Amino acid sequence: MAYLVGGVFVALFAWAALRSLYLRYWGIATTGTVVSLELTRDGDGDTYKPVVAFTTQHGVRIEAKSMYGTPEAGTYFRVGEQVRLRYAASKPTCFAIEGYEVSAVLFLFFFAIAGAAILWWAFTT
């Protein structure tokens, strides 16, 4: 079981990091507008995910929700605010708001460390 948990943590970080790198270097840069902040409430408190609208290089209007949510996004972003973002040409709903989603990948880095520690423990015991 420890192998599975550790492997999932490491894989989750690797996927998020690769997605972030792909969008950073090969994503198409544009400006979008924050159209809403989606609120999720659970036992840990409130989490906000920015929803942005932008137009692709082919003139298609996209409205999509960020993959990452934080409690701070509710005060950091404002509806109507212009944000820089990068999106995947083949799937424009896959996007990253410049400067915002980097912190999420850094947060996932701690999961990778935890996963590596769990795997190390599992292999050495």
Side-chain angles (χ1 to χ4, degrees), residues 29-110:
T30 190
T31 301
T33 304
V34 177
V35 293
S36 68
L37 294 165
E38 186 176 285
L39 171 64
T40 303
R41 289 199 161 117
D42 59 21
D44 294 330
D46 295 347
T47 301
Y48 297 90
K49 289 184 178 182
V51 179
V52 247
F54 60 95
T55 304
T56 68
Q57 64 183 1
H58 299 295
V60 178
R61 184 179 187 279
I62 301 292
E63 189 171 307
K65 176 176 52 175
S66 173
M67 207 171 95
Y68 301 107
T70 63
E72 295 79 21
T75 55
Y76 184 74
F77 293 106
R78 296 281 177 236
V79 173
E81 176 182 358
Q82 299 286 303
V83 293
R84 299 283 306 151
L85 59 93
R86 292 186 170 273
Y87 68 91
S90 60
K91 185 179 179 187
T93 56
C94 177
F95 73 96
I97 299 171
E98 290 185 5
Y100 173 63
E101 298 192 9
V102 170
S103 61
V105 173
L106 291 175
F107 175 73
L108 287 174
F109 177 72
F110 293 108

